[in-house]
């Protein structure tokens, strides 16, 4: 029985890491109705930058600040060069623009900091300890804690601050927002910077686990089913769905995997997403789009 | 002045609705056909024929499929490459294992792909937009896993199946040029079919679904049926393209050749080439196939040997940059750009 | 118009709610063949909702729709309702923005096209013949509504008034038994309104279409409509000929204004 719990807990903790990436997606979607295909590559960029700065022998705090600066620059370029001309266009076009953005970030990031895999050592303790017969890793717990803090901060941001509320109000009609005088682009800038911070956290979390390399951007693909299950624009949904997917995937791999040849975790989250969509086409907590004829 | 439309009167509706109503277009197309059928096989090297032209035709075909689904019918699909994989393996099983003749194998593979495609297209009846996009991504990963793990399909752990020697009615297709002709003919015919579909009512219904689906339904368009037909056609084309490229270029069916980045590249192709156009599908595919070569040549002017990872980085940057650039400047892609050039030529040298 | 004849469409006791809001409350109305019926009422009265129910786009909570004497199954999909012979224009316009005027109107012929898939792919014989035949029908409508010069213009580039006209053309192209128009003259100047009014009358008198329209311009309504139904807050508060409605105190109070 404790084996089951161990698998469950490991899955939940992995799920937290997925949720971190999904959070970035949900954030940008909620605030600007843009589905950001580049989120995974943003995490990759954050990881590359951080490692790059560390390799230049910057102390950790300085490296983090510089990485933040990189993400801020990225946010500026994204919002003012790429998104601004597309403000009035349909969301599909903005989505495709983030497609292009993903390629750009990947190419530029790797050009500056190289394509080979790098290890990321941050000195986060990785001890495992035993609670009631189940093993926990302090590493995973640290990131779970960070995720919870992030979640609380983001929910507070959107519910309580003026900027957050303004963003929610205008996310579906950009032109209306502009015409009412809401500084849409500045609001977007804030959103993308925050998403950049989330990307840094995700990049660090995954980079220390897997090493920083190109395949980091694939993690985003894992986070997409999380996003669907939670609902594209739901911040708490991203966390809850992350937990569900992480646990589900791990349990399936361990208990079902051996019967069908293994490797289930590559597609199981997607299968879960399809099932959820069948019952709830907008995810568990997503906002339903009502067509007004 | 060169591209004249004056004096070109249509006296029947049939002529007005033809694919190339303007004579210069028609002649241009015939010239292109001559180049494709006669000039290239004679003049181009085997390297060009096998490594550039064949992939160009095959990706063009696949892009047509995706364009029908995403550009015309408005159903975003980012798992298209998986259906190419289905076609690749299906054709190999039909031809190599069961001895079905070559062309029926290739077309049959398309049918198998279409069946799978309709299955994975079912979610489109209930979900839309980005939710649908991610559901299509599900098909990519699920199909990939199935192909690798289902022994009957892949015959082994590594998921690679080599193509047997190709022949039609005993006539062996063993040279690059013969494979080139096979691809060209099949792609050409299917492209014509696609053009006919989209210029007729089905194409209009698809675009109606894309633009205002509730209005389309209220006018009488059967959303369920037409969406599923779009999936069927799109994945049929992907399947045929996958099998063609396997037989005529890769030489072996390898699931790695159809992974998710290829799906993304296909999306990029139709964005750059022009959504909702047949021409655009080929322009985008051509761009994608020629890009690495173009970069190689131009960088080769600066340095003798280009390290492969710098090459791929620059490719990535240019590909992404162009996607963004086209969306901002000319969202309808290269096809619209071409149309604009032709329009300007109508008046040239007069300004207006 | 013959009031003694059977109604073409009868809506019986239609009720529908959205969330907590009751948009239609036990509304019944009839539409007789060959007439022009106006549905009027203040904003939010439920007029568009009523049309949506008639189209099958919304499923009513209670009540039923009887079309040509047959009760309609509640879950009939909108395209099947359309196949029965109901077509419509929309208040906020629903043109297919990625297509030309001609293509938009051709979509209206969808229900009348029957060539199968293979024939379409080959664009051969039957399919081509069908395309030409329907093109002729559409050209007739283009002529009728005088929009020849914008045939090839992409719908997204048309000015507002012409868009409304193209939408009308698209609905006419379906050759419906019942034509529903949702504020066909909204946002137009006097000249444009006269044009549309003339087209509506022509469609009714020359082509024999039965028309139900939602309209706010009382002058137009009184002039061209045979009968009027008045809705307010989801309930029907009056029904009758223009004279009867003008004299109806409930209607004047709610909608027409006290001063006459």
């Amino acid at each position: 029985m404790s084996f089951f719990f161990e698998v469950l807990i490991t899955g939940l903790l992995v799920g937290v890491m997925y949720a971190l990436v999904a959070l970035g997606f949900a954030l940008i979607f909620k605030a600007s109705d843009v589905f950001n295909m580049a989120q995974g590559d943003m995490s990759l960029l954050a990881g590359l930058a951080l490692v790059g700065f560390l390799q230049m022998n910057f102390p950790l705090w300085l490296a983090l600040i510089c990485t933040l600066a990189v993400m801020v620059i990225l946010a500026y370029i994204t919002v003012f060069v790429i998104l601004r001309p597309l403000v009035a266009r349909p969301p599909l076009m903005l989505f495709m623009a983030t497609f292009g953005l993903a390629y750009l970030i990947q190419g530029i990031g790797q050009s500056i900091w190289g394509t080979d895999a790098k290890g990321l050592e941050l000195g986060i303790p990785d001890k495992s300890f035993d609670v009631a017969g189940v093993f926990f890793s302090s590493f995973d717990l640290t990131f779970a804690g960070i995720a919870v803090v992030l979640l609380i901060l983001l929910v507070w941001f959107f519910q309580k601050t003026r900027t957050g509320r303004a963003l929610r109000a205008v996310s579906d009609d950009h032109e209306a927002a502009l015409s009412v005088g809401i500084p849409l682009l500045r609001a977007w800038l804030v959103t993308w910077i925050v998403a950049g911070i989330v990307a840094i956290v995700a990049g660090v979390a995954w980079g220390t686990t897997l090493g920083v390399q190109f395949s980091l951007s694939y993690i985003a693909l894992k986070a997409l089913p999380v996003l669907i299950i939670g609902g594209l624009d739901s911040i708490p949904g991203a966390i809850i769905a992350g937990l569900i997917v992480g646990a589900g995937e791990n349990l399936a791999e361990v208990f079902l995997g051996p019967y069908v040849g293994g490797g289930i975790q590559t597609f199981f989250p997607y299968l879960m997403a399809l099932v959820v969509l069948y019952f709830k086409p907008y995810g568990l907590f997503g906002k339903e789009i009502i067509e007004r004829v | 002045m060169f591209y004249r439309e004056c004096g070109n009167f249509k006296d029947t509706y049939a002529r007005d609705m033809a694919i190339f109503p303007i004579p210069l277009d028609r002649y241009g197309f015939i010239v292109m056909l001559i180049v494709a059928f006669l000039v290239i096989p004679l003049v181009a090297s085997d390297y060009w024929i096998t490594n550039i032209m064949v992939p160009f035709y095959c990706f063009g075909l696949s892009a047509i499929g995706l364009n029908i689904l995403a550009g015309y019918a408005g159903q975003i699909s980012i798992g298209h490459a998986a259906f190419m994989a289905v076609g690749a393996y299906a054709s190999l099983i039909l031809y190599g294992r069961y001895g079905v003749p070559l062309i029926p194998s290739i077309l049959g593979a398309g049918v198998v792909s279409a069946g799978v495609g309709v299955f994975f297209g079912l979610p489109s009846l209930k979900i839309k937009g980005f939710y649908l996009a991610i559901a299509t991504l599900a098909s990519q990963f699920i199909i990939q896993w199935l192909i690798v793990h289902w022994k009957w399909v892949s015959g082994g752990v590594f998921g690679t199946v080599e193509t047997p020697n190709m022949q039609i009615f005993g006539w062996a297709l063993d040279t690059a040029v013969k494979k080139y002709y096979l691809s060209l003919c099949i792609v050409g015919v299917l492209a014509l079919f696609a053009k006919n579909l989209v210029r007729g009512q089905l194409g209009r219904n698809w675009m109606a679904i894309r633009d205002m689906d509730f209005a389309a339904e209220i006018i009488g368009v059967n959303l369920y049926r037409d969406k599923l037909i779009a999936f069927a056609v799109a994945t049929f084309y992907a399947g045929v393209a996958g099998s063609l490229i396997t037989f005529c270029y890769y030489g072996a069916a390898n699931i790695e050749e159809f992974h998710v980045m290829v799906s993304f590249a296909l999306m990029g192709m139709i964005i750059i080439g022009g959504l909702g156009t047949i021409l655009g599908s080929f322009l985008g595919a051509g761009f994608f196939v020629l890009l690495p070569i173009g970069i190689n040549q131009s960088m080769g002017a600066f340095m003798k040997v280009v390290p492969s990872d710098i090459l791929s980085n620059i490719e990535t940057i240019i590909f992404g940059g162009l996607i963004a650039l086209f969306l901002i400047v000319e969202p309808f892609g290269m096809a619209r750009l071409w149309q604009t050039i032709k329009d300007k030529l109508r008046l040239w040298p007069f300004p207006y | 118009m013959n009031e003694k004849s059977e109604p073409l469409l009868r809506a019986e006791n239609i009720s529908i709610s959205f969330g907590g809001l009751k948009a239609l409350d036990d509304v019944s109305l009839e539409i007789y063949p060959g007439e022009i019926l106006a549905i009027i009422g203040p904003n939010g009265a439920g007029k568009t909702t009523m049309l949506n129910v008639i189209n099958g786009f919304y499923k009513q909570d209670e009540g039923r729709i009887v079309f040509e004497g047959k009760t309609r199954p509640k879950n009939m999909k909108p395209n099947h309702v359309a196949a029965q012979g109901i077509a419509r224009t929309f208040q906020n316009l629903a043109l297919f923005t990625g297509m030309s005027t001609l293509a938009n109107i051709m979509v209206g012929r969808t229900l009348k096209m029957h060539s199968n898939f293979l024939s379409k792919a080959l664009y051969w014989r039957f399919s081509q013949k069908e395309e030409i035949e329907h093109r002729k029908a559409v050209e007739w409508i283009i002529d009728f509504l005088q929009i020849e010069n914008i045939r090839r213009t992409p719908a997204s580039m048309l000015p507002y008034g012409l868009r409304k006209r193209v939408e009308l053309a698209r609905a006419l192209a379906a050759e419906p038994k019942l034509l529903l128009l949702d504020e066909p003259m909204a946002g137009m100047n006097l000249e444009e309104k006269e044009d549309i009014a003339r087209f509506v009358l022509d469609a009714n008198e020359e082509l024999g279409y039965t028309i139900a329209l939602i309209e706010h311009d009382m002058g137009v309504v009184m002039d061209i409509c045979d009968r009027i139904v008045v809705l307010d807050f989801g309930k029907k508060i009056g029904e009758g000929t223009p004279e009867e409605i003008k004299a109806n105190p409930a209607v004047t109070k709610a909608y027409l204004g006290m001063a006459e």
Side-chain angles (χ1 to χ4, degrees), chain B residues 12-334:
Chain B
T12 64
Y13 286 124
R15 276 194 223 200
D16 190 50
M17 303 194 294
I19 295 183
F20 294 111
I22 299 177
L24 199 57
D25 275 335
R26 224 176 293 149
Y27 303 146
F29 185 69
I30 295 181
V31 167
M32 227 176 56
L33 283 179
I34 295 179
V35 169
F37 276 95
L38 296 177
V39 176
I40 290 188
L42 288 176
V43 166
S45 67
D46 264 10
Y47 174 80
W48 263 81
I49 291 180
T50 311
N51 293 295
I52 310 285
M53 298 310 294
V54 168
F56 165 58
Y57 293 141
C58 296
F59 279 117
L61 188 66
S62 188
I64 289 181
L66 185 57
N67 219 339
I68 285 180
L69 190 54
Y72 283 95
Q75 312 296 306
I76 316 179
S77 168
I78 42 182
H80 206 62
F83 298 107
M84 289 177 78
V86 172
Y89 282 91
S91 61
L92 272 177
I93 292 177
L94 285 171
Y95 183 67
R97 218 184 284 176
Y98 293 112
V100 175
L102 186 61
I103 303 218
S105 285
I106 294 179
L107 296 178
V111 171
V112 172
S113 212
V116 177
V118 167
F119 175 72
F120 280 103
L122 289 172
S124 73
L125 304 181
K126 259 206 178 173
I127 54 183
K128 324 179 166 184
F130 301 122
Y131 290 97
L132 180 64
I134 300 188
T136 58
L137 205 46
S139 58
Q140 169 83 39
F141 291 113
I142 295 177
I143 292 178
Q144 234 173 285
W145 185 87
L146 277 173
I147 289 183
V148 171
H149 284 88
W150 191 5
K151 298 279 191 315
W152 181 80
V153 168
S154 60
V157 182
F158 298 106
T160 304
V161 185
E162 295 224 340
T163 55
N165 291 323
M166 297 155 58
Q167 48 101 344
I168 299 184
F169 301 125
W171 183 45
L173 291 173
D174 44 7
T175 67
V177 174
K178 291 187 193 162
K179 294 183 186 174
Y180 170 86
Y181 275 120
L182 178 68
S183 319
L184 178 58
C185 292
I186 294 186
V187 171
V189 168
L190 288 180
L192 179 64
F193 279 5
K195 184 69 182 174
N196 282 334
L197 281 180
V198 302
R199 66 182 171 125
Q201 193 68 356
L202 191 51
R204 284 189 285 264
N205 284 355
W206 280 333
M207 292 196 274
I209 295 178
R210 174 194 69 192
D211 291 340
M212 292 269 170
D213 56 357
F214 62 88
E217 208 181 2
I218 290 184
I219 274 266
V221 173
N222 187 335
L223 291 189
Y224 280 17
R225 187 193 64 198
D226 287 352
K227 277 190 198 180
L228 289 180
I229 292 182
F231 270 97
V233 173
T235 50
F236 174 81
Y237 276 54
V240 173
S243 65
L244 271 178
I245 204 173
T246 300
F247 273 103
C248 302
Y249 176 48
Y250 291 134
N254 181 0
I255 191 65
E256 290 301 313
E257 296 291 348
F258 301 111
H259 66 73
V260 69
M261 294 310 282
V262 178
S263 290
F264 289 173
L266 280 165
M267 221 25 223
M269 281 183 234
I270 65 173
I271 295 176
I272 293 180
L275 286 166
T277 67
I278 300 288
L279 174 65
S281 315
F282 282 111
L283 291 176
F287 175 78
F288 179 72
V289 169
L290 290 174
L291 183 63
I293 302 189
I295 298 179
N296 215 345
Q297 306 287 47
S298 33
M299 303 241 29
F302 291 110
M303 43 182 104
K304 282 290 162 193
V305 178
V306 184
S308 70
D309 55 344
I310 293 191
L311 193 67
S312 75
N313 278 337
I314 295 191
E315 259 178 65
T316 313
I317 295 178
I318 294 190
F319 198 55
L322 272 171
I323 292 178
L325 188 68
F326 264 103
L327 285 169
I328 295 175
V329 169
E330 181 51 89
F332 294 100
M334 291 168 83

Side-chain angles (χ1 to χ4, degrees), chain A residues 291-293, chain C residues 48 57 90:
Chain A
E291 303 230 31
R292 178 103 171 84
V293 174
Chain C
T48 301
F57 190 63
F90 298 88

Side-chain angles (χ1 to χ4, degrees), chain B residues 4-12 15-16 21 23 26:
Chain B
R4 242 183 296 184
E5 221 177 288
C6 300
N8 187 6
F9 296 111
K10 312 286 181 301
D11 43 3
T12 64
R15 276 194 223 200
D16 190 50
R26 224 176 293 149

Side-chain angles (χ1 to χ4, degrees), chain A residues 5-278:
Chain A
F5 273 113
E6 213 170 282
V7 174
L8 180 64
I9 304 284
T10 321
L12 286 175
L13 292 171
V14 170
V16 166
M17 312 255 270
Y18 286 148
L20 282 177
V21 184
L23 213 49
F25 278 106
L27 191 60
I28 293 185
F29 192 79
K30 193 181 177 67
S32 55
D33 232 26
V34 173
F35 188 87
N36 179 19
M37 277 307 275
Q39 190 70 27
D41 291 281
M42 278 164 70
S43 296
L44 173 64
L45 182 69
L48 284 173
L50 188 60
V51 171
F53 291 125
L54 286 176
Q55 282 182 339
M56 292 182 352
N57 287 322
F58 284 22
L60 182 61
W61 62 269
L62 187 58
L64 278 172
I65 294 184
C66 291
T67 309
L68 183 61
V70 168
M71 302 313 279
V72 169
I73 295 176
L74 176 66
Y76 256 99
I77 297 180
T78 306
V79 172
F80 288 103
V81 173
I82 298 187
L83 293 181
R84 179 151 140 267
L86 298 174
V87 160
R89 307 269 181 88
L92 189 60
M93 255 190 215
L94 290 161
F95 161 71
M96 296 199 268
T98 62
F99 225 80
L101 184 65
Y103 280 112
L104 274 173
I105 296 179
Q106 209 185 85
I108 295 179
Q110 285 183 182
S111 298
I112 301 180
W113 284 292
T115 37
D116 33 309
K118 304 169 208 348
L120 182 55
E121 208 37 71
L122 284 186
I124 297 176
D126 189 9
K127 298 190 290 288
S128 69
F129 47 98
D130 185 339
V131 174
V134 181
F135 283 98
F136 285 89
S137 143
S138 64
F139 179 83
D140 289 340
L141 286 175
T142 316
F143 279 106
I146 295 181
V148 170
V149 170
L150 256 185
L151 172 65
I152 296 177
L153 281 175
L154 286 172
V155 170
W156 169 81
F157 174 69
F158 274 107
Q159 304 281 70
K160 300 286 179 225
T161 66
R162 255 180 77 190
T163 319
R165 286 205 299 270
L167 282 174
R168 275 165 56 205
V170 308
S171 67
D172 18 296
D173 196 337
H174 304 156
E175 285 176 290
L178 280 173
S179 63
V180 172
I182 294 179
L184 191 69
L185 291 177
R186 269 201 299 185
W188 280 7
L189 186 60
V190 169
T191 314
W192 280 77
I193 293 177
V194 175
I197 296 176
V198 173
I200 296 179
V201 175
V204 167
W206 285 101
T208 40
T209 320
L210 297 175
V212 175
Q213 54 168 319
F214 170 66
S215 58
L216 212 54
S217 51
Y218 283 131
I219 301 301
L221 294 177
K222 276 303 192 70
L224 290 179
V226 171
L227 196 60
I228 290 287
I229 293 177
L232 282 181
D233 58 350
S234 165
I235 303 227
I239 301 277
I240 296 177
L243 294 173
I244 297 177
V245 168
E249 169 190 272
N250 216 22
L251 286 170
E253 175 60 23
V254 170
F255 291 107
L256 290 178
Y259 295 111
V260 287
I264 290 197
Q265 73 270 29
T266 53
F267 74 88
F268 198 72
Y270 280 94
L271 205 55
M272 291 171 74
L274 284 180
V275 170
V276 170
L277 280 178
Y278 180 74

Side-chain angles (χ1 to χ4, degrees), chain C:
Chain C
M1 179 211 74
N2 181 1
E3 276 208 34
K4 301 290 191 253
S5 61
E6 272 301 300
L8 180 60
L9 178 132
R10 188 169 48 222
E12 292 177 0
N13 307 104
I14 301 286
S15 290
I16 184 170
S17 302
F18 296 109
L21 179 69
K22 199 147 198 179
L24 289 174
D25 191 357
D26 199 35
V27 175
S28 300
L29 59 79
E30 287 102 29
I31 307 179
Y32 291 93
E35 74 169 348
I36 300 183
L37 173 79
I39 303 179
I40 68 175
N43 279 320
K47 311 187 292 291
T48 301
T49 310
M50 189 71 220
L51 285 196
N52 286 342
V53 170
I54 296 180
N55 265 135
F57 190 63
Y58 290 162
K59 314 277 179 271
Q60 68 277 16
D61 296 331
E62 282 155 38
R64 59 185 196 147
I65 303 273
V66 181
F67 187 68
E68 288 190 311
K70 293 194 286 274
T71 308
R72 182 200 297 172
K74 199 155 134 197
N75 284 316
M76 200 175 225
K77 299 189 92 337
N79 55 304
H80 291 135
V81 171
Q84 285 190 327
I86 304 183
R88 156 165 196 186
T89 67
F90 298 88
Q91 183 178 14
N92 288 319
L93 281 178
L95 281 184
F96 305 125
T97 42
M99 295 198 254
S100 66
T101 301
L102 186 56
N104 262 278
I105 306 175
M106 284 288 272
V107 176
R109 304 292 294 175
T110 278
L111 285 168
K112 306 216 172 274
M113 295 217 184
H114 300 294
S115 68
N116 68 38
F117 182 78
L118 198 58
S119 178
K120 285 195 170 84
L122 297 173
Y123 200 75
W124 190 42
R125 281 222 203 132
F126 185 54
S127 184
Q128 188 183 31
K129 245 180 57 185
E130 210 185 32
E131 282 273 313
I132 294 176
E133 183 193 312
H134 290 292
R135 171 73 186 266
K136 289 191 189 144
V138 167
E139 287 290 338
W140 191 94
I141 294 175
I142 289 181
D143 220 32
F144 179 69
L145 291 180
Q146 296 166 9
I147 45 179
E148 299 92 338
N149 54 328
I150 54 164
R151 244 193 229 105
R152 304 245 179 231
T153 317
S156 53
M157 302 221 264
L158 292 173
Y160 181 78
L162 283 177
R163 285 197 209 195
K164 284 243 165 212
R165 221 186 276 191
V166 172
E167 221 180 81
L168 180 58
R170 187 178 66 185
L172 286 176
E175 289 178 24
K177 301 199 178 100
L178 172 62
L179 184 57
L180 305 172
L181 305 177
D182 198 340
E183 300 198 33
M185 299 173 207
M188 291 190 179
N189 62 32
L190 188 58
E191 223 181 275
E192 290 169 328
K193 281 196 196 190
E194 281 177 3
D195 282 341
I196 297 287
R198 182 166 34 96
F199 291 133
V200 171
L201 277 174
D202 281 347
N204 176 253
E205 285 166 13
E206 270 181 48
L207 305 175
Y209 284 131
T210 306
I211 299 178
L213 63 87
I214 296 178
E215 188 43 62
H216 278 299
D217 185 330
M218 280 303 110
V220 166
V221 168
M222 297 299 179
D223 277 344
I224 70 174
C225 299
D226 299 316
R227 285 191 321 126
I228 302 177
V229 165
V230 188
L231 297 181
D232 191 17
F233 286 116
K235 293 198 185 6
K236 184 168 80 174
I237 61 171
E239 182 176 7
T241 64
E243 289 73 32
E244 290 167 5
I245 290 296
K246 263 200 265 204
N248 185 326
V251 174
T252 13
K253 186 161 141 222
Y255 191 43
L256 293 177
M258 292 302 283
E260 277 280 310

